[in-house]
Amino acid sequence: MGKNKFHTGPGPSQRQLRVGETIRRALSDVLARGDVHDTDLNRLSVTVGEVRASPDLKIATAYVLPLGGQGKDEVIALLARNKGELRRLVAKKLTLKFAPDLRFQLDETFDRMDETREMLNRAEVKRDTGPVPAGESDTE
């Protein structure tokens, strides 16, 4: 098969984005409904923030976070322990030729948002980002 001549950027292709979103929805649905035969995993509420597919679509990395942010390591361990069953359940909902191997990582975007919010609320940052008083300019 020839190389896609339309995708030349450094980011993910349109197909990777579409497949990642499809996997995210399927995985979220499986986890929300409690279809996995693991009572430890079913008792937890897990948020699937994003799924990134590799260029060959054989590996999908799911960025997950437990509701409330408590027990992060436990959730990753439970998901890794049940990844074979999760792969099978997600594959039933997909229309891909091959089901990708699932990998799980903690979703740290919420932590980064909190850090950014704290930074923007600091006095020195507010002073620098506030409106410029009349008569003052940077061109002096």
Side-chain angles (χ1 to χ4, degrees):
M1 184 180 342
K3 179 134 175 84
N4 183 357
K5 60 184 174 186
F6 299 109
H7 178 66
T8 57
S13 68
Q14 196 67 29
R15 181 147 194 238
Q16 284 175 270
L17 294 172
R18 188 175 62 245
V19 167
E21 180 61 19
T22 304
I23 294 170
R24 186 194 70 78
R25 288 182 183 177
L27 185 59
S28 294
D29 186 45
V30 166
L31 292 173
R33 291 180 27 190
D35 292 341
V36 182
H37 293 100
D38 187 348
T39 56
D40 294 333
L41 184 59
N42 288 335
R43 68 178 167 79
L44 298 172
S45 293
V46 180
T47 301
V48 182
E50 180 183 6
V51 174
R52 293 183 188 164
S54 64
D56 61 358
L57 305 179
K58 295 201 184 239
I59 298 172
T61 304
Y63 293 88
V64 298
L65 188 69
L67 192 62
Q70 303 298 321
K72 295 176 182 179
D73 295 332
E74 178 188 8
V75 167
I76 296 296
L78 288 170
L79 290 169
R81 185 172 76 194
N82 293 295
K83 81 177 193 174
E85 186 176 4
L86 286 167
R87 180 182 183 186
R88 181 182 57 80
L89 293 168
V90 167
K92 285 182 179 181
K93 298 176 180 286
L94 300 177
T95 58
L96 296 174
K97 187 173 183 179
F98 299 104
D101 183 35
L102 296 176
R103 311 253 170 102
F104 300 98
Q105 289 189 358
L106 285 176
D107 189 0
E108 297 175 347
T109 55
F110 296 108
D111 295 337
R112 282 191 239 127
M113 285 186 341
D114 290 339
E115 291 170 4
T116 304
R117 192 175 299 121
E118 288 174 8
M119 181 187 70
L120 291 174
N121 285 330
R122 290 187 199 147
E124 62 271 9
V125 174
K126 283 186 176 182
R127 180 193 66 213
D128 292 342
T129 60
V132 177
E136 292 184 22
S137 68
D138 291 340
T139 59
E140 294 179 14

PDB file of all heavy atoms in Angstrom, residues 101-127:
ATOM      1  N   ASP A 101      -4.052  -3.113  20.190  1.00  0.00           N
ATOM      2  CA  ASP A 101      -3.612  -3.445  21.544  1.00  0.00           C
ATOM      3  C   ASP A 101      -3.837  -2.209  22.400  1.00  0.00           C
ATOM      4  O   ASP A 101      -3.466  -1.100  22.017  1.00  0.00           O
ATOM      5  CB  ASP A 101      -2.133  -3.833  21.525  1.00  0.00           C
ATOM      6  CG  ASP A 101      -1.632  -4.265  22.879  1.00  0.00           C
ATOM      7  OD1 ASP A 101      -2.415  -4.891  23.628  1.00  0.00           O
ATOM      8  OD2 ASP A 101      -0.466  -3.976  23.192  1.00  0.00           O
ATOM      9  N   LEU A 102      -4.452  -2.391  23.565  1.00  0.00           N
ATOM     10  CA  LEU A 102      -4.765  -1.259  24.431  1.00  0.00           C
ATOM     11  C   LEU A 102      -3.661  -1.048  25.461  1.00  0.00           C
ATOM     12  O   LEU A 102      -3.197  -1.997  26.089  1.00  0.00           O
ATOM     13  CB  LEU A 102      -6.101  -1.495  25.147  1.00  0.00           C
ATOM     14  CG  LEU A 102      -7.332  -1.589  24.264  1.00  0.00           C
ATOM     15  CD1 LEU A 102      -8.555  -1.933  25.102  1.00  0.00           C
ATOM     16  CD2 LEU A 102      -7.565  -0.292  23.516  1.00  0.00           C
ATOM     17  N   ARG A 103      -3.281   0.199  25.615  1.00  0.00           N
ATOM     18  CA  ARG A 103      -2.341   0.602  26.650  1.00  0.00           C
ATOM     19  C   ARG A 103      -3.027   1.690  27.468  1.00  0.00           C
ATOM     20  O   ARG A 103      -3.824   2.457  26.935  1.00  0.00           O
ATOM     21  CB  ARG A 103      -1.055   1.174  26.040  1.00  0.00           C
ATOM     22  CG  ARG A 103      -0.453   0.293  24.956  1.00  0.00           C
ATOM     23  CD  ARG A 103       0.783  -0.408  25.433  1.00  0.00           C
ATOM     24  NE  ARG A 103       1.229  -1.416  24.478  1.00  0.00           N
ATOM     25  CZ  ARG A 103       2.225  -1.262  23.629  1.00  0.00           C
ATOM     26  NH1 ARG A 103       2.867  -0.113  23.582  1.00  0.00           N
ATOM     27  NH2 ARG A 103       2.570  -2.240  22.824  1.00  0.00           N
ATOM     28  N   PHE A 104      -2.715   1.775  28.737  1.00  0.00           N
ATOM     29  CA  PHE A 104      -3.387   2.738  29.610  1.00  0.00           C
ATOM     30  C   PHE A 104      -2.370   3.622  30.305  1.00  0.00           C
ATOM     31  O   PHE A 104      -1.358   3.144  30.810  1.00  0.00           O
ATOM     32  CB  PHE A 104      -4.239   2.000  30.648  1.00  0.00           C
ATOM     33  CG  PHE A 104      -5.294   1.141  30.022  1.00  0.00           C
ATOM     34  CD1 PHE A 104      -5.091  -0.214  29.848  1.00  0.00           C
ATOM     35  CD2 PHE A 104      -6.476   1.701  29.572  1.00  0.00           C
ATOM     36  CE1 PHE A 104      -6.059  -1.014  29.256  1.00  0.00           C
ATOM     37  CE2 PHE A 104      -7.447   0.920  28.978  1.00  0.00           C
ATOM     38  CZ  PHE A 104      -7.241  -0.434  28.816  1.00  0.00           C
ATOM     39  N   GLN A 105      -2.670   4.929  30.316  1.00  0.00           N
ATOM     40  CA  GLN A 105      -1.845   5.913  31.015  1.00  0.00           C
ATOM     41  C   GLN A 105      -2.758   6.873  31.753  1.00  0.00           C
ATOM     42  O   GLN A 105      -3.915   7.070  31.362  1.00  0.00           O
ATOM     43  CB  GLN A 105      -0.960   6.687  30.044  1.00  0.00           C
ATOM     44  CG  GLN A 105       0.161   5.877  29.458  1.00  0.00           C
ATOM     45  CD  GLN A 105       1.127   6.748  28.668  1.00  0.00           C
ATOM     46  OE1 GLN A 105       0.936   7.945  28.534  1.00  0.00           O
ATOM     47  NE2 GLN A 105       2.160   6.118  28.142  1.00  0.00           N
ATOM     48  N   LEU A 106      -2.210   7.500  32.786  1.00  0.00           N
ATOM     49  CA  LEU A 106      -2.987   8.490  33.530  1.00  0.00           C
ATOM     50  C   LEU A 106      -3.168   9.748  32.694  1.00  0.00           C
ATOM     51  O   LEU A 106      -2.240  10.199  32.032  1.00  0.00           O
ATOM     52  CB  LEU A 106      -2.289   8.851  34.841  1.00  0.00           C
ATOM     53  CG  LEU A 106      -2.370   7.811  35.942  1.00  0.00           C
ATOM     54  CD1 LEU A 106      -1.549   8.250  37.137  1.00  0.00           C
ATOM     55  CD2 LEU A 106      -3.805   7.582  36.348  1.00  0.00           C
ATOM     56  N   ASP A 107      -4.354  10.298  32.739  1.00  0.00           N
ATOM     57  CA  ASP A 107      -4.657  11.538  32.039  1.00  0.00           C
ATOM     58  C   ASP A 107      -4.289  12.695  32.960  1.00  0.00           C
ATOM     59  O   ASP A 107      -4.909  12.887  34.003  1.00  0.00           O
ATOM     60  CB  ASP A 107      -6.148  11.584  31.689  1.00  0.00           C
ATOM     61  CG  ASP A 107      -6.500  12.731  30.781  1.00  0.00           C
ATOM     62  OD1 ASP A 107      -5.594  13.505  30.407  1.00  0.00           O
ATOM     63  OD2 ASP A 107      -7.688  12.864  30.430  1.00  0.00           O
ATOM     64  N   GLU A 108      -3.284  13.453  32.587  1.00  0.00           N
ATOM     65  CA  GLU A 108      -2.797  14.535  33.432  1.00  0.00           C
ATOM     66  C   GLU A 108      -3.263  15.910  32.957  1.00  0.00           C
ATOM     67  O   GLU A 108      -2.790  16.924  33.456  1.00  0.00           O
ATOM     68  CB  GLU A 108      -1.273  14.481  33.497  1.00  0.00           C
ATOM     69  CG  GLU A 108      -0.771  13.203  34.140  1.00  0.00           C
ATOM     70  CD  GLU A 108       0.730  13.064  34.105  1.00  0.00           C
ATOM     71  OE1 GLU A 108       1.383  13.837  33.377  1.00  0.00           O
ATOM     72  OE2 GLU A 108       1.247  12.185  34.794  1.00  0.00           O
ATOM     73  N   THR A 109      -4.181  15.970  32.019  1.00  0.00           N
ATOM     74  CA  THR A 109      -4.626  17.270  31.510  1.00  0.00           C
ATOM     75  C   THR A 109      -5.361  18.072  32.577  1.00  0.00           C
ATOM     76  O   THR A 109      -5.242  19.294  32.604  1.00  0.00           O
ATOM     77  CB  THR A 109      -5.537  17.116  30.280  1.00  0.00           C
ATOM     78  OG1 THR A 109      -6.636  16.265  30.609  1.00  0.00           O
ATOM     79  CG2 THR A 109      -4.790  16.544  29.106  1.00  0.00           C
ATOM     80  N   PHE A 110      -6.094  17.404  33.462  1.00  0.00           N
ATOM     81  CA  PHE A 110      -6.807  18.123  34.514  1.00  0.00           C
ATOM     82  C   PHE A 110      -5.821  18.747  35.495  1.00  0.00           C
ATOM     83  O   PHE A 110      -6.033  19.863  35.971  1.00  0.00           O
ATOM     84  CB  PHE A 110      -7.788  17.207  35.236  1.00  0.00           C
ATOM     85  CG  PHE A 110      -8.889  16.711  34.350  1.00  0.00           C
ATOM     86  CD1 PHE A 110      -8.919  15.389  33.939  1.00  0.00           C
ATOM     87  CD2 PHE A 110      -9.878  17.568  33.907  1.00  0.00           C
ATOM     88  CE1 PHE A 110      -9.933  14.937  33.109  1.00  0.00           C
ATOM     89  CE2 PHE A 110     -10.889  17.125  33.085  1.00  0.00           C
ATOM     90  CZ  PHE A 110     -10.918  15.810  32.681  1.00  0.00           C
ATOM     91  N   ASP A 111      -4.736  18.038  35.798  1.00  0.00           N
ATOM     92  CA  ASP A 111      -3.701  18.591  36.677  1.00  0.00           C
ATOM     93  C   ASP A 111      -3.055  19.811  36.031  1.00  0.00           C
ATOM     94  O   ASP A 111      -2.805  20.816  36.690  1.00  0.00           O
ATOM     95  CB  ASP A 111      -2.630  17.540  36.983  1.00  0.00           C
ATOM     96  CG  ASP A 111      -3.181  16.370  37.777  1.00  0.00           C
ATOM     97  OD1 ASP A 111      -4.212  16.559  38.452  1.00  0.00           O
ATOM     98  OD2 ASP A 111      -2.585  15.285  37.714  1.00  0.00           O
ATOM     99  N   ARG A 112      -2.787  19.715  34.727  1.00  0.00           N
ATOM    100  CA  ARG A 112      -2.184  20.850  34.026  1.00  0.00           C
ATOM    101  C   ARG A 112      -3.135  22.031  33.971  1.00  0.00           C
ATOM    102  O   ARG A 112      -2.702  23.180  34.055  1.00  0.00           O
ATOM    103  CB  ARG A 112      -1.768  20.438  32.614  1.00  0.00           C
ATOM    104  CG  ARG A 112      -0.474  19.658  32.617  1.00  0.00           C
ATOM    105  CD  ARG A 112       0.082  19.475  31.231  1.00  0.00           C
ATOM    106  NE  ARG A 112       0.190  18.052  31.005  1.00  0.00           N
ATOM    107  CZ  ARG A 112      -0.318  17.400  29.984  1.00  0.00           C
ATOM    108  NH1 ARG A 112      -0.939  18.039  29.047  1.00  0.00           N
ATOM    109  NH2 ARG A 112      -0.171  16.101  29.882  1.00  0.00           N
ATOM    110  N   MET A 113      -4.426  21.789  33.844  1.00  0.00           N
ATOM    111  CA  MET A 113      -5.398  22.885  33.832  1.00  0.00           C
ATOM    112  C   MET A 113      -5.412  23.583  35.186  1.00  0.00           C
ATOM    113  O   MET A 113      -5.483  24.811  35.248  1.00  0.00           O
ATOM    114  CB  MET A 113      -6.799  22.364  33.488  1.00  0.00           C
ATOM    115  CG  MET A 113      -6.966  22.029  32.040  1.00  0.00           C
ATOM    116  SD  MET A 113      -8.636  21.561  31.494  1.00  0.00           S
ATOM    117  CE  MET A 113      -9.506  21.106  32.921  1.00  0.00           C
ATOM    118  N   ASP A 114      -5.352  22.821  36.278  1.00  0.00           N
ATOM    119  CA  ASP A 114      -5.325  23.421  37.611  1.00  0.00           C
ATOM    120  C   ASP A 114      -4.063  24.259  37.805  1.00  0.00           C
ATOM    121  O   ASP A 114      -4.123  25.363  38.351  1.00  0.00           O
ATOM    122  CB  ASP A 114      -5.406  22.343  38.692  1.00  0.00           C
ATOM    123  CG  ASP A 114      -6.781  21.686  38.758  1.00  0.00           C
ATOM    124  OD1 ASP A 114      -7.752  22.297  38.273  1.00  0.00           O
ATOM    125  OD2 ASP A 114      -6.864  20.566  39.295  1.00  0.00           O
ATOM    126  N   GLU A 115      -2.920  23.736  37.357  1.00  0.00           N
ATOM    127  CA  GLU A 115      -1.667  24.483  37.472  1.00  0.00           C
ATOM    128  C   GLU A 115      -1.729  25.779  36.663  1.00  0.00           C
ATOM    129  O   GLU A 115      -1.270  26.825  37.126  1.00  0.00           O
ATOM    130  CB  GLU A 115      -0.496  23.630  37.001  1.00  0.00           C
ATOM    131  CG  GLU A 115      -0.176  22.467  37.918  1.00  0.00           C
ATOM    132  CD  GLU A 115       0.831  21.511  37.304  1.00  0.00           C
ATOM    133  OE1 GLU A 115       1.344  21.779  36.193  1.00  0.00           O
ATOM    134  OE2 GLU A 115       1.113  20.475  37.942  1.00  0.00           O
ATOM    135  N   THR A 116      -2.302  25.728  35.478  1.00  0.00           N
ATOM    136  CA  THR A 116      -2.428  26.920  34.641  1.00  0.00           C
ATOM    137  C   THR A 116      -3.358  27.930  35.287  1.00  0.00           C
ATOM    138  O   THR A 116      -3.069  29.139  35.300  1.00  0.00           O
ATOM    139  CB  THR A 116      -2.952  26.536  33.241  1.00  0.00           C
ATOM    140  OG1 THR A 116      -2.083  25.567  32.667  1.00  0.00           O
ATOM    141  CG2 THR A 116      -3.031  27.751  32.332  1.00  0.00           C
ATOM    142  N   ARG A 117      -4.456  27.457  35.838  1.00  0.00           N
ATOM    143  CA  ARG A 117      -5.405  28.346  36.512  1.00  0.00           C
ATOM    144  C   ARG A 117      -4.749  29.029  37.712  1.00  0.00           C
ATOM    145  O   ARG A 117      -4.913  30.237  37.917  1.00  0.00           O
ATOM    146  CB  ARG A 117      -6.639  27.555  36.947  1.00  0.00           C
ATOM    147  CG  ARG A 117      -7.805  28.411  37.394  1.00  0.00           C
ATOM    148  CD  ARG A 117      -9.042  27.582  37.695  1.00  0.00           C
ATOM    149  NE  ARG A 117      -9.491  26.866  36.501  1.00  0.00           N
ATOM    150  CZ  ARG A 117      -9.596  25.534  36.420  1.00  0.00           C
ATOM    151  NH1 ARG A 117      -9.319  24.769  37.448  1.00  0.00           N
ATOM    152  NH2 ARG A 117     -10.004  24.962  35.309  1.00  0.00           N
ATOM    153  N   GLU A 118      -3.977  28.268  38.498  1.00  0.00           N
ATOM    154  CA  GLU A 118      -3.266  28.847  39.637  1.00  0.00           C
ATOM    155  C   GLU A 118      -2.249  29.889  39.180  1.00  0.00           C
ATOM    156  O   GLU A 118      -2.113  30.954  39.790  1.00  0.00           O
ATOM    157  CB  GLU A 118      -2.562  27.751  40.442  1.00  0.00           C
ATOM    158  CG  GLU A 118      -3.498  26.870  41.232  1.00  0.00           C
ATOM    159  CD  GLU A 118      -2.784  25.704  41.897  1.00  0.00           C
ATOM    160  OE1 GLU A 118      -1.529  25.666  41.873  1.00  0.00           O
ATOM    161  OE2 GLU A 118      -3.476  24.823  42.419  1.00  0.00           O
ATOM    162  N   MET A 119      -1.539  29.575  38.102  1.00  0.00           N
ATOM    163  CA  MET A 119      -0.542  30.507  37.590  1.00  0.00           C
ATOM    164  C   MET A 119      -1.196  31.811  37.128  1.00  0.00           C
ATOM    165  O   MET A 119      -0.707  32.901  37.401  1.00  0.00           O
ATOM    166  CB  MET A 119       0.229  29.881  36.426  1.00  0.00           C
ATOM    167  CG  MET A 119       1.307  30.791  35.860  1.00  0.00           C
ATOM    168  SD  MET A 119       2.073  30.133  34.387  1.00  0.00           S
ATOM    169  CE  MET A 119       0.744  30.271  33.221  1.00  0.00           C
ATOM    170  N   LEU A 120      -2.323  31.715  36.451  1.00  0.00           N
ATOM    171  CA  LEU A 120      -2.999  32.910  35.947  1.00  0.00           C
ATOM    172  C   LEU A 120      -3.617  33.742  37.070  1.00  0.00           C
ATOM    173  O   LEU A 120      -3.895  34.923  36.883  1.00  0.00           O
ATOM    174  CB  LEU A 120      -4.070  32.519  34.930  1.00  0.00           C
ATOM    175  CG  LEU A 120      -3.540  31.969  33.604  1.00  0.00           C
ATOM    176  CD1 LEU A 120      -4.686  31.489  32.735  1.00  0.00           C
ATOM    177  CD2 LEU A 120      -2.705  33.003  32.877  1.00  0.00           C
ATOM    178  N   ASN A 121      -3.825  33.152  38.232  1.00  0.00           N
ATOM    179  CA  ASN A 121      -4.391  33.890  39.365  1.00  0.00           C
ATOM    180  C   ASN A 121      -3.328  34.551  40.245  1.00  0.00           C
ATOM    181  O   ASN A 121      -3.685  35.262  41.185  1.00  0.00           O
ATOM    182  CB  ASN A 121      -5.270  32.965  40.220  1.00  0.00           C
ATOM    183  CG  ASN A 121      -6.589  32.673  39.548  1.00  0.00           C
ATOM    184  OD1 ASN A 121      -7.105  33.497  38.796  1.00  0.00           O
ATOM    185  ND2 ASN A 121      -7.129  31.495  39.803  1.00  0.00           N
ATOM    186  N   ARG A 122      -2.050  34.345  39.952  1.00  0.00           N
ATOM    187  CA  ARG A 122      -0.995  34.993  40.722  1.00  0.00           C
ATOM    188  C   ARG A 122      -1.010  36.497  40.454  1.00  0.00           C
ATOM    189  O   ARG A 122      -1.307  36.949  39.349  1.00  0.00           O
ATOM    190  CB  ARG A 122       0.367  34.429  40.344  1.00  0.00           C
ATOM    191  CG  ARG A 122       0.590  33.033  40.800  1.00  0.00           C
ATOM    192  CD  ARG A 122       2.015  32.615  40.526  1.00  0.00           C
ATOM    193  NE  ARG A 122       2.110  31.180  40.539  1.00  0.00           N
ATOM    194  CZ  ARG A 122       2.937  30.477  39.791  1.00  0.00           C
ATOM    195  NH1 ARG A 122       3.782  31.082  38.979  1.00  0.00           N
ATOM    196  NH2 ARG A 122       2.960  29.169  39.862  1.00  0.00           N
ATOM    197  N   ALA A 123      -0.640  37.270  41.461  1.00  0.00           N
ATOM    198  CA  ALA A 123      -0.678  38.735  41.357  1.00  0.00           C
ATOM    199  C   ALA A 123       0.245  39.254  40.262  1.00  0.00           C
ATOM    200  O   ALA A 123      -0.136  40.142  39.485  1.00  0.00           O
ATOM    201  CB  ALA A 123      -0.307  39.353  42.704  1.00  0.00           C
ATOM    202  N   GLU A 124       1.469  38.716  40.163  1.00  0.00           N
ATOM    203  CA  GLU A 124       2.410  39.224  39.157  1.00  0.00           C
ATOM    204  C   GLU A 124       1.962  38.910  37.732  1.00  0.00           C
ATOM    205  O   GLU A 124       2.207  39.680  36.807  1.00  0.00           O
ATOM    206  CB  GLU A 124       3.837  38.723  39.411  1.00  0.00           C
ATOM    207  CG  GLU A 124       4.020  37.220  39.342  1.00  0.00           C
ATOM    208  CD  GLU A 124       3.800  36.495  40.664  1.00  0.00           C
ATOM    209  OE1 GLU A 124       3.340  37.111  41.636  1.00  0.00           O
ATOM    210  OE2 GLU A 124       4.086  35.290  40.711  1.00  0.00           O
ATOM    211  N   VAL A 125       1.270  37.801  37.556  1.00  0.00           N
ATOM    212  CA  VAL A 125       0.768  37.459  36.223  1.00  0.00           C
ATOM    213  C   VAL A 125      -0.432  38.339  35.885  1.00  0.00           C
ATOM    214  O   VAL A 125      -0.554  38.829  34.756  1.00  0.00           O
ATOM    215  CB  VAL A 125       0.407  35.962  36.135  1.00  0.00           C
ATOM    216  CG1 VAL A 125      -0.250  35.623  34.812  1.00  0.00           C
ATOM    217  CG2 VAL A 125       1.650  35.114  36.349  1.00  0.00           C
ATOM    218  N   LYS A 126      -1.299  38.567  36.843  1.00  0.00           N
ATOM    219  CA  LYS A 126      -2.448  39.455  36.602  1.00  0.00           C
ATOM    220  C   LYS A 126      -1.974  40.863  36.255  1.00  0.00           C
ATOM    221  O   LYS A 126      -2.546  41.519  35.397  1.00  0.00           O
ATOM    222  CB  LYS A 126      -3.369  39.490  37.824  1.00  0.00           C
ATOM    223  CG  LYS A 126      -4.244  38.275  37.956  1.00  0.00           C
ATOM    224  CD  LYS A 126      -5.215  38.457  39.098  1.00  0.00           C
ATOM    225  CE  LYS A 126      -6.157  37.272  39.158  1.00  0.00           C
ATOM    226  NZ  LYS A 126      -7.152  37.418  40.211  1.00  0.00           N
ATOM    227  N   ARG A 127      -0.913  41.292  36.941  1.00  0.00           N
ATOM    228  CA  ARG A 127      -0.374  42.620  36.657  1.00  0.00           C
ATOM    229  C   ARG A 127       0.141  42.687  35.219  1.00  0.00           C
ATOM    230  O   ARG A 127      -0.089  43.650  34.494  1.00  0.00           O
ATOM    231  CB  ARG A 127       0.760  42.933  37.631  1.00  0.00           C
ATOM    232  CG  ARG A 127       1.393  44.305  37.419  1.00  0.00           C
ATOM    233  CD  ARG A 127       2.686  44.435  38.167  1.00  0.00           C
ATOM    234  NE  ARG A 127       3.630  43.485  37.551  1.00  0.00           N
ATOM    235  CZ  ARG A 127       4.585  42.841  38.187  1.00  0.00           C
ATOM    236  NH1 ARG A 127       4.736  43.014  39.481  1.00  0.00           N
ATOM    237  NH2 ARG A 127       5.389  42.030  37.576  1.00  0.00           N
TER     238      ARG A 127
END
